[in-house]
Amino acid sequence: MCAVSRGGRGRRTSNAVAAIVCIILGASVVLALMQFIDHKLNQSAENQVLAFTEQAASNVADRMAMKQNALGAFAVQSSDPAELVPALNALKQRNGFAHVAAVDLTGQGFLEDGTPFSSEVLGQEETALSQGTQAYSDTFVNNEGVRVRLAQRPLFLDGQQSGALYVEIPLDLFTMPAKLNMFDGRGYFMLFEARTGEILVSPDEPTKTPIGERMSLFDFLDEAARYEAPEMFDSSEEASEALLVMTANMGSDLRGLEDAVAQKHSGLTTAAVDGKASYVCVAPVGTGWWYACGIVPMENVRAEASFVTTSFLVVILIMLACLAAVGLLVISAYRKRLRERHVAMMSQLYDALSESIDLAVNLYSPADGKVTPIVEKAADIIGYRLTDFLHDERLSAAIGLSDADAALFDRIRTGRIESAERGEIPFFCARNGREQWVGYSVSPLIFDGKHQLLVVLQDKTAEKAIQLSMKDAMHAAEAANEAKSEFLSRMSHEIRTPMNVIIGMLQIAHGSLDDVEKMRACLVKIGAASDHLLGLINDVLDISKIENGKMTFSSEPFRLASVLAHAITVARVQSEQKGQKLTVSVPDHASCVFVGDPVRMKQLLINLLTNAVKYTPEGGRIEFDTNIAPGAVMGYRQLTFVVSDNGIGMSKEFLEHVFEPFTMEGRSREQGTGLGMSIVRNIVTMMGGSLNVESELDHGSTFTVTLNLRIALEAERKAFEEAEGFFDAGGTMQGEGNARSQGDSGEKRRNVSSAVSPDGPDGSARGTHGAKCGSGGACGAFAGGDAPGSSRGAGPDFGVLPKSGGAPSDVSLTSERVGPPPAIDRGELRGLRVLLAEDNDLNAEIACELLSESGLVVDRAVDGEKACGLFEASPVGTYDAVLMDVQMPRRDGYEATRCIRALDRPDAASVPIIAMSANAFSDDVRASLASGMDMHLSKPIDMRQVLSAIVRLVRKRRADEGRA
């Protein structure tokens, strides 16, 4: 018994020793953590003071820079100082200067209030007149008792000194507010000179230690640190403050602060200032001639230190209490385990039942809040067990139940269910982040002698989804019908407008057969309405292909200059009709050959330019600027197109919808489909570029497009130039956008200015165009030499004006013009025989008549098969060209072309075949060229373009045969 007792005492002693060791270790850890926290708080406080002082110094530097800029910006328009008095007064009032004076070269002038002034009464050394230099004086007190510095600055008129400006700058312009709100309204802010330490700007708040005139900051800190602690303290706060003061004095390093100022660095130390332990921080203002000093009591910066320490101790105590509570819970849990065994047996029975049905079935007793799960699947349906859901009212909000649905579960909790209830509830499922539906049924009953509720839940999400999808489909169908009706209504209006013009002008023309001028005017208006109708159809087809994802882009070499010439010519014609000024800036290397889709680029630029013309009033201004810069990837260039105008602009609200299809603001009388900007946005996006728009109501709009295009490789460029060029009778290569380069322009950009204004002597509209300029060094200008894809050929003639200072170039530029081609020599057409494949009789009649009038002999085939047969049956060389429709019965244009090219005869491969089709998209052009055709012209056909194409291809064919 004694041995057992000794053993028990030994174990208790060991346990006690272990407990004491644990307590000591815990206390050591707590103390170490408290010291670590105090160190971090001190670091944080120092950083706050340093950041505040440096920010204040930066603020002073900004204000100094503003004053210097105000002085530097002061300019004179007269050598008479009397005329400068209003400007001097404005300079003083705007900047808060004490006095401002200006004198002439004799030293006589006026103050800002008109009082005569002489430089001889400055009281400071004069430098602005005597030396012609700007200078600042030392600090002095002016006649009003204000500490100021005198700024002197010579004044110039037409490059010659005409006088001098003298300004007294009060130093209190650079002070901080009286209270440093960042630190609970405590602390001082001063400005001092770095070289002497002289305090320039004293604190607005009075200091206990007086600051004398020209007193040094470091002398002030020495006097302010002379603090004597009282022998007795009335409170613990006073004792704590005295301890802080002693600690601050022990850690004070004013010498280090002086060294930091000498090295023009920021510095911080602690010191006792006016009986308060404070942080003293200095920071350079600008280049370091002045310094800012912030003095902040430590108690204000570290006010949270005691709170953090106390909070830490409270947390430790809470943790200890939690450990004790855990021990008690463990004991309680063991006792509950016996009772839970019985519940586990019942759960096994319920689980077996749960596997056989897809319902959650529970019995709930409102009297004691007990939930008895019969089929425990509530967690699978609503994400929570019914026990948790009924015991925690916050879960109703967690799954997003409405107030009415949450009220249902409140009635279940309190047992206020009088009869069976059932329905469906939507809720948010946290597991998948979606809305789901649950069907419920609640029935009151008496079970086990108690009033209970039978709660049944069932997942209804799948059924509800079917119902909602059917409803959404119905709404979508209704919306589609509304959109279709709106589209048809809009298109009906847009199509009827030009059709009304066409029909009306035809009726007028029929009644004016003898009036040639009136007939001609009617035909011009019919042509304009036809162009509008064609543009409308093209826009609708384009937006349809975009929305169906069927728009494709070609990747072929093209000359940027030709694309720009096309767009500029179209815009110039429209702008001249409205008397607008069109200014175009084109880079010198616009004649580069790039790889991309020229058709879509033309469409993009024409849409932007014509949109600017349309919404700019008569006499307005339109600017088109093109820039080419090196791309981020080797071999690519960044092209930036900027179209700006001073038209009616757009509201901020409409800017959010400007790129939506069929959207127009409605403030202009101009007609359109509202598709142009939507097409532009989609073209830019599909070309991998960016589009930005800036607009202000009644002040115009600016559209900026940025694209990255690859420069054509040498082989691609040569092949392109051979394809675009042809030989004339003298053997000179000419073509679209290609001409001989005769020299280097020596300028970086070319400006195109096309203006129409009533400035002629008779008041009539007159167009102005500049002289021609060369193309310069093409793409090689970016890399110091000819880059791949550069061309020695010049770009189109934009009608350019060199920038001021640039010498005009001697390079002659020629190109095709968009619109009517240049006049064709009828002698080249006379006697040429062409084969026309056209199944439409009316189109064939028009084509035959116009071609015959030009001197051509025309043979018509009604379909592709007849065309192939006529060509095969004709002698070699009979046909000089073939005009091929694409969509024809029996054999379309593609098959007919392949048939002709496959014939075993010398002229089958060389005869020019030109597609004339209503298919106008880029993939249609590619299909024509892939079938063996030489060119693709879209209907409606401009006969001048057809004749020009025939001449060019016939010339090229003859040149090729001559070389062979």
Side-chain angles (χ1 to χ4, degrees):
M1 179 66 69
C2 292
V4 173
S5 179
R6 285 195 298 271
R9 285 196 297 271
R11 286 193 296 273
R12 287 194 294 272
T13 301
S14 300
N15 292 337
V17 171
I20 292 172
V21 170
C22 290
I23 292 173
I24 293 174
L25 290 175
S28 301
V29 170
V30 170
L31 290 175
L33 287 174
M34 291 181 65
Q35 291 179 353
F36 176 77
I37 292 173
D38 185 73
H39 175 68
K40 289 297 182 182
L41 289 173
N42 187 56
Q43 281 186 341
S44 175
E46 292 178 353
N47 291 335
Q48 288 184 50
V49 175
L50 182 61
F52 168 76
T53 306
E54 290 179 342
Q55 183 179 1
S58 175
N59 180 273
V60 172
D62 291 342
R63 282 185 277 175
M64 292 177 65
M66 290 172 61
K67 304 308 176 187
Q68 291 175 348
N69 292 339
L71 294 179
F74 186 82
V76 298
Q77 303 297 327
S78 172
S79 59
D80 184 3
E83 297 182 7
L84 301 180
V85 170
L88 297 176
N89 186 56
L91 181 63
K92 173 187 175 182
Q93 297 301 325
R94 283 198 303 267
N95 296 278
F97 296 142
H99 291 291
V100 181
V103 299
D104 56 18
L105 293 177
T106 65
Q108 302 301 314
F110 296 91
L111 289 170
E112 75 283 352
D113 58 359
T115 304
F117 175 81
S118 174
S119 61
E120 297 177 356
V121 300
L122 282 177
Q124 304 292 326
E125 181 182 358
E126 203 285 329
T127 61
L129 288 178
S130 60
Q131 303 177 18
T133 60
Q134 181 173 334
Y136 292 88
S137 71
D138 292 333
T139 303
F140 65 92
V141 178
N142 65 6
N143 296 333
E144 288 80 11
V146 180
R147 289 168 60 83
V148 298
R149 283 197 169 189
L150 177 66
Q152 305 182 47
R153 176 177 173 270
L155 297 177
F156 294 89
L157 180 63
D158 297 330
Q160 300 293 327
Q161 183 172 357
S162 61
L165 177 71
Y166 306 103
V167 178
E168 287 186 357
I169 304 176
L171 296 184
D172 57 9
L173 289 178
F174 309 109
T175 189
M176 293 293 284
K179 297 288 186 179
L180 299 181
N181 296 329
M182 181 176 177
F183 301 110
D184 197 24
R186 303 290 298 277
Y188 304 140
F189 175 80
M190 310 181 195
L191 288 178
F192 66 95
E193 189 171 11
R195 179 172 52 85
T196 63
E198 177 189 353
I199 297 176
L200 303 176
V201 178
S202 302
D204 288 345
E205 184 180 2
T207 59
K208 294 181 180 179
T209 301
I211 299 176
E213 186 175 354
R214 296 186 178 276
M215 186 176 190
S216 169
L217 171 71
F218 302 104
D219 293 340
F220 167 77
L221 293 177
D222 285 337
E223 294 185 14
R226 296 171 185 172
Y227 169 77
E228 295 182 0
E231 296 181 358
M232 300 293 294
F233 299 106
D234 296 334
S235 64
S236 60
E237 288 78 7
E238 292 183 358
S240 176
E241 180 63 31
L243 180 61
L244 283 175
V245 170
M246 294 173 58
T247 304
N249 279 331
M250 292 175 60
S252 178
D253 185 14
L254 296 181
R255 175 59 59 186
L257 214 59
E258 291 186 48
D259 293 340
V261 173
Q263 298 172 10
K264 297 188 177 181
H265 294 162
S266 299
L268 183 141
T269 187
T270 57
V273 180
D274 290 344
K276 292 286 187 179
S278 305
Y279 290 108
V280 181
C281 181
V282 296
V285 176
T287 58
W289 294 104
W290 285 13
Y291 257 74
C293 176
I295 302 175
V296 183
M298 296 174 64
E299 64 182 8
N300 293 88
V301 183
R302 299 193 56 193
E304 75 278 7
S306 60
F307 172 77
V308 173
T309 304
T310 304
S311 300
F312 180 75
L313 292 175
V314 171
V315 170
I316 295 298
L317 293 176
I318 292 175
M319 291 176 61
L320 294 175
C322 289
L323 290 175
V326 168
L328 295 176
L329 289 175
V330 169
I331 296 173
S332 177
Y334 176 75
R335 294 179 178 177
K336 290 183 178 179
R337 184 176 180 183
L338 296 176
R339 295 194 297 268
E340 291 174 354
R341 288 181 178 177
H342 175 71
V343 176
M345 294 173 59
M346 296 295 295
S347 296
Q348 292 179 1
L349 177 61
Y350 294 148
D351 290 342
L353 179 61
S354 299
E355 295 298 330
S356 60
I357 58 177
D358 293 328
L359 301 173
V361 183
N362 297 268
L363 275 176
Y364 174 68
S365 174
D368 54 13
K370 181 180 179 181
V371 176
T372 304
I374 301 173
V375 179
E376 194 171 7
K377 286 191 174 183
D380 297 334
I381 297 175
I382 62 174
Y384 300 98
R385 294 186 308 155
L386 188 62
T387 302
D388 300 333
F389 196 83
L390 292 177
H391 290 170
D392 189 348
E393 298 181 5
R394 296 172 300 177
L395 295 182
S396 296
I399 64 173
L401 292 185
S402 65
D403 293 341
D405 297 333
L408 168 67
F409 284 95
D410 288 339
R411 292 191 293 115
I412 292 176
R413 291 187 189 94
T414 56
R416 291 180 287 119
I417 302 295
E418 303 297 335
S419 59
E421 297 184 15
R422 54 179 52 86
E424 295 177 348
I425 296 175
F427 69 97
F428 175 78
C429 181
R431 290 177 301 178
N432 54 27
R434 300 177 181 176
E435 184 184 54
Q436 294 189 344
W437 289 79
V438 59
Y440 67 88
S441 173
V442 183
S443 302
L445 54 82
I446 302 298
F447 179 76
D448 199 14
K450 295 185 295 183
H451 173 71
Q452 299 197 49
L453 298 174
L454 179 64
V455 182
V456 181
L457 304 177
Q458 184 179 11
D459 190 356
K460 294 284 188 177
T461 303
E463 298 177 14
K464 203 69 177 179
I466 295 174
Q467 296 176 8
L468 293 177
S469 63
M470 294 176 65
K471 185 177 181 180
D472 291 342
M474 182 180 66
H475 290 165
E478 292 175 352
N481 286 334
E482 292 178 1
K484 180 179 178 181
S485 299
E486 181 181 356
F487 171 75
L488 291 176
S489 175
R490 181 188 292 269
M491 295 311 301
S492 174
H493 174 269
E494 296 299 332
I495 291 175
R496 287 175 184 272
T497 300
M499 286 300 298
N500 181 62
V501 173
I502 294 172
I503 294 172
M505 288 297 105
L506 284 174
Q507 292 174 350
I508 295 173
H510 280 302
S512 307
L513 296 178
D514 296 332
D515 190 339
V516 177
E517 291 299 325
K518 193 169 185 179
M519 178 74 72
R520 182 178 293 108
C522 290
L523 293 177
V524 169
K525 293 177 181 178
I526 290 172
S530 301
D531 291 340
H532 176 67
L533 184 59
L534 178 61
L536 173 66
I537 295 172
N538 287 336
D539 283 348
V540 172
L541 294 177
D542 274 341
I543 202 67
S544 175
K545 296 195 74 173
I546 289 171
E547 292 180 348
N548 293 328
K550 295 181 179 181
M551 175 173 279
T552 58
F553 286 77
S554 65
S555 181
E556 60 186 67
F558 69 93
R559 198 177 301 281
L560 177 61
S562 297
V563 173
L564 296 178
H566 186 116
I568 292 168
T569 305
V570 172
R572 180 182 292 118
V573 172
Q574 297 182 7
S575 65
E576 288 177 351
Q577 292 174 353
K578 297 184 68 173
Q580 298 166 339
K581 180 179 181 181
L582 172 62
T583 303
V584 182
S585 180
V586 181
D588 201 36
H589 24 270
S591 58
C592 280
V593 178
F594 292 92
V595 176
D597 191 330
V599 175
R600 294 302 175 191
M601 285 198 64
K602 290 177 184 178
Q603 183 180 12
L604 161 69
L605 297 177
I606 290 174
N607 277 9
L608 289 175
L609 288 169
T610 55
N611 188 73
V613 173
K614 180 186 295 184
Y615 294 107
T616 300
E618 293 186 0
R621 172 184 48 81
I622 300 166
E623 296 181 0
F624 177 35
D625 182 60
T626 303
N627 283 292
I628 303 178
V633 180
M634 183 177 296
Y636 281 76
R637 295 290 180 264
Q638 184 181 79
L639 276 64
T640 303
F641 306 100
V642 181
V643 178
S644 59
D645 61 71
N646 63 346
I648 65 174
M650 293 176 282
S651 63
K652 293 182 179 179
E653 294 77 11
F654 182 70
L655 273 178
E656 301 177 359
H657 308 282
V658 66
F659 296 117
E660 295 178 2
F662 305 107
T663 301
M664 299 178 68
E665 192 170 13
R667 294 189 301 110
S668 170
R669 297 178 59 187
E670 295 290 342
Q671 297 181 354
T673 60
L675 297 176
M677 290 300 100
S678 177
I679 293 173
V680 167
R681 196 255 322 254
N682 282 279
I683 291 176
V684 172
T685 300
M686 297 179 73
M687 294 182 73
S690 63
L691 173 60
N692 182 55
V693 57
E694 298 176 359
S695 185
E696 186 177 351
L697 205 62
D698 298 325
H699 288 80
S701 305
T702 299
F703 289 84
T704 303
V705 175
T706 302
L707 301 174
N708 288 280
L709 296 181
R710 179 172 66 85
I711 300 174
L713 302 177
E714 187 68 17
E716 292 175 319
R717 181 182 62 80
K718 289 182 177 179
F720 168 74
E721 290 179 346
E722 291 177 0
E724 74 168 350
F726 61 89
F727 288 93
D728 62 11
T732 302
M733 178 172 280
Q734 299 177 354
E736 295 181 16
N738 186 27
R740 293 171 296 163
S741 176
Q742 301 177 358
D744 194 356
S745 70
E747 58 176 309
K748 296 299 182 184
R749 295 186 63 80
R750 297 174 291 166
N751 290 333
V752 182
S753 179
S754 174
V756 177
S757 58
D759 56 0
D762 58 353
S764 61
R766 175 172 55 118
T768 62
H769 303 281
K772 298 179 180 178
C773 283
S775 66
C779 295
F782 289 110
D786 289 337
S790 68
S791 173
R792 294 297 182 185
D797 175 13
F798 296 99
V800 296
L801 291 172
K803 283 196 172 182
S804 59
S809 169
D810 58 354
V811 178
S812 176
L813 303 175
T814 61
S815 76
E816 70 164 355
R817 291 286 187 179
V818 177
I824 301 170
D825 185 4
R826 298 282 177 165
E828 293 185 83
L829 296 171
R830 190 171 295 111
L832 295 181
R833 181 178 291 273
V834 296
L835 174 59
L836 173 65
E838 174 61 64
D839 62 317
N840 186 281
D841 293 335
L842 183 57
N843 288 341
E845 180 182 355
I846 295 172
C848 290
E849 181 67 20
L850 295 176
L851 291 171
S852 299
E853 288 179 356
S854 300
L856 282 80
V857 179
V858 184
D859 294 334
R860 181 206 174 186
V862 296
D863 54 48
E865 185 172 334
K866 288 288 183 66
C868 186
L870 284 175
F871 188 90
E872 184 177 8
S874 66
V876 175
T878 299
Y879 293 109
D880 298 287
V882 178
L883 302 179
M884 185 74 70
D885 189 14
V886 172
Q887 292 186 358
M888 294 184 293
R890 301 181 65 184
R891 179 176 286 180
D892 61 24
Y894 302 142
E895 294 178 358
T897 300
R898 295 188 186 97
C899 173
I900 293 174
R901 296 299 188 200
L903 293 175
D904 186 16
R905 50 188 287 169
D907 59 347
S910 61
V911 62
I913 303 179
I914 303 172
M916 295 197 309
S917 170
N919 300 331
F921 297 108
S922 57
D923 47 352
D924 300 319
V925 177
R926 284 195 297 271
S928 297
L929 299 180
S931 68
M933 299 186 193
D934 299 280
M935 187 175 292
H936 183 105
L937 299 177
S938 300
K939 294 179 180 179
I941 298 298
D942 186 335
M943 190 52 62
R944 290 169 294 179
Q945 291 182 350
V946 175
L947 298 177
S948 176
I950 293 174
V951 170
R952 291 167 50 201
L953 293 177
V954 169
R955 287 181 184 175
K956 185 176 184 298
R957 179 190 183 188
R958 291 173 178 174
D960 292 338
E961 291 174 350
R963 287 196 300 270

